[in-house]
Amino acid sequence: MNPDSRRHVCFLTGTLNAMAGAERMTATIANALAALGHHVTILSLWDTSSQFPLHPEVRHEAVFAQRPSFKRAYFATVAGIRRHCRAHRIDVLVQVDPMLELFVRPATVGLGLHHIAWEHCHFDEDLGKPARKLARRLAARFCRQVVVLTERDRSRWLEALRPRSEVVCLPNPLPFALPDAPAPRTQRTVLAMGRLVPAKGFDVLLRAWKIVAAQAPQWQLLIHGEGEERPALAALIRELGLEDSASLPGICHDPVQAYGNASVFCLSSRYEGFGLVLIEAMAFGLPIVSTDCETGPRELLDPGRDALVVAADDANALAQALLAVIRQPELAATLGASGRQKASRFALEHIAQRWDALVRAPG
């Protein structure tokens, strides 16, 4: 890289010490830009720990050691962001959530930064924070680019806000190299993965599994993840009598092994910003059973070609789709092969080059 085109890039995020998609992608893209020669920092609002490995050249700092009350610590947060940007001579500030615009706008007055807001949710979901609508309006007005994950979401930003910002669709990349070979799919295992929160619909999946387990008793369901719903989901497993066929093994620290040992992947979400796990499962040639939820699955999947897709919140439909891929090996193989072909489009090197172009773009 020409030294003149290197940028000092900061990714501003809440924390990296959470096993979740936005945090994982922050580490993945920051690492990729550092590998391309940019000077990269990650500024967490709290906690200097990271659940994900970081490139040796990526510097990770935090405004606070522990999560504060941001109402009480608002001005200290703004000051901390400004201090970091000046100390590291930041050129490009990537907000990993448009909500951060509420801090960034006052923190960077007069610094002349290239601002990018990175939306990991979808436009019609505020995650219980009404201020998110205001933050998105500010991002649409004051950021040079807003990065969204799907073309559907790009359309919603354009029609709802008529932004001054350029709205760029840039999907999440596969965070590991495309496997040389698909999973052998010899184990009778259905895999699901995600935070144990209501949005992921694991309660619906367990009710579907009650139907599946009665007709395919030799199969196992693994739901990898951690979160607030663990006690309720564990209780539901007991209530449904699924202790022998469904388990919650916790956070998946080796996704490559988990996908490699599965035969089917199921996404039961009520909504998704993108659905990175779908691309990961496709990379291993796993047949996909998914809900038809906004925004990622609806855009990523081609029903009947690389996935079986059912309505969200419909346990019976989910069960019938799972039984179809369990009982029809030819269908499962066809879906898996088509998905693996699609996953190659999301290779990290392609998407890293697009991020590189974004941060190097002249003002």
Side-chain angles (χ1 to χ4, degrees):
M1 179 188 286
N2 179 341
D4 294 341
S5 67
R6 289 179 185 170
R7 294 287 184 267
H8 289 76
V9 183
C10 173
F11 288 84
L12 177 65
T13 188
T15 181
L16 283 185
N17 198 14
M19 189 62 81
E23 289 76 6
R24 189 176 188 191
M25 280 299 106
T26 300
T28 299
I29 298 299
N31 289 345
L33 290 180
L36 288 171
H38 295 288
H39 304 283
V40 180
T41 67
I42 298 173
L43 180 61
S44 292
L45 294 187
W46 72 93
D47 200 343
T48 53
S49 299
S50 175
Q51 289 281 348
F52 307 97
L54 297 176
H55 188 284
E57 296 297 319
V58 173
R59 184 171 182 138
H60 182 207
E61 297 181 355
V63 180
F64 303 104
Q66 281 114 20
R67 183 172 187 157
S69 158
F70 285 108
K71 284 184 180 173
R72 286 199 292 272
Y74 180 79
F75 292 107
T77 307
V78 167
I81 294 168
R82 187 174 184 86
R83 191 163 52 244
H84 180 92
C85 290
R86 295 183 74 168
H88 295 285
R89 297 178 292 127
I90 298 302
D91 304 308
V92 183
L93 182 62
V94 182
Q95 302 152 213
V96 178
D97 182 335
M99 275 290 280
L100 295 167
E101 181 68 11
L102 299 172
F103 298 114
V104 166
R105 187 85 199 112
T108 58
V109 170
L111 298 185
L113 300 188
H114 172 174
H115 290 272
I116 300 172
W118 191 4
E119 175 71 273
H120 287 271
C121 191
H122 68 81
F123 186 83
D124 296 300
E125 177 56 55
D126 67 10
L127 298 178
K129 295 182 178 176
R132 194 174 295 276
K133 290 186 175 66
L134 169 63
R136 284 182 174 134
R137 287 189 177 280
L138 291 172
R141 180 167 185 182
F142 293 113
C143 291
R144 193 186 300 177
Q145 285 101 5
V146 174
V147 172
V148 298
L149 303 178
T150 64
E151 287 294 346
R152 287 172 180 274
D153 218 40
R154 182 173 181 272
S155 298
R156 288 292 295 121
W157 274 79
L158 293 175
E159 71 191 28
L161 296 182
R162 302 184 184 279
R164 291 184 187 176
S165 308
E166 180 188 8
V167 182
V168 179
C169 175
L170 230 173
N172 284 335
L174 195 60
F176 45 73
L178 192 74
D180 293 334
R185 297 181 41 248
T186 52
Q187 300 192 34
R188 292 168 171 170
T189 301
V190 173
L191 176 67
M193 201 177 294
R195 286 174 301 128
L196 305 185
V197 295
K200 300 299 180 184
F202 293 136
D203 55 322
V204 182
L205 176 53
L206 287 171
R207 294 186 189 284
W209 194 251
K210 173 76 171 173
I211 300 168
V212 174
Q215 299 183 50
Q218 60 278 67
W219 281 71
Q220 292 285 316
L221 170 65
L222 295 184
I223 302 176
H224 269 291
E226 206 47 83
E228 67 201 44
E229 287 279 286
R230 170 174 282 280
L233 294 171
L236 186 57
I237 287 173
R238 291 191 297 273
E239 178 191 324
L240 297 172
L242 297 174
E243 294 95 331
D244 293 335
S245 68
S247 57
L248 303 168
I251 286 171
C252 180
H253 292 289
D254 187 354
V256 170
Q257 183 182 32
Y259 291 116
N261 289 337
S263 290
V264 178
F265 187 83
C266 184
L267 184 135
S268 53
S269 298
R270 293 179 166 97
Y271 66 83
E272 281 285 347
F274 183 69
L276 179 65
V277 287
L278 294 174
I279 302 299
E280 294 177 349
M282 286 175 167
F284 280 88
L286 297 183
I288 305 287
V289 173
S290 175
T291 52
D292 179 29
C293 66
E294 289 281 11
T295 52
R298 201 165 281 180
E299 184 164 308
L300 290 173
L301 301 176
D302 186 354
R305 178 175 164 74
D306 52 38
L308 296 187
V309 177
V310 302
D313 267 315
D314 188 335
N316 188 58
L318 197 60
Q320 297 313 313
L322 286 167
L323 286 166
V325 293
I326 285 171
R327 289 168 168 164
Q328 299 175 56
E330 307 84 1
L331 171 64
T334 302
L335 295 174
S338 297
R340 188 165 151 82
Q341 198 173 15
K342 182 178 281 184
S344 62
R345 295 186 215 159
F346 296 86
L348 176 58
E349 54 268 29
H350 302 325
I351 293 175
Q353 290 295 336
R354 293 182 62 191
W355 270 100
D356 178 56
L358 204 62
V359 301
R360 285 194 293 110

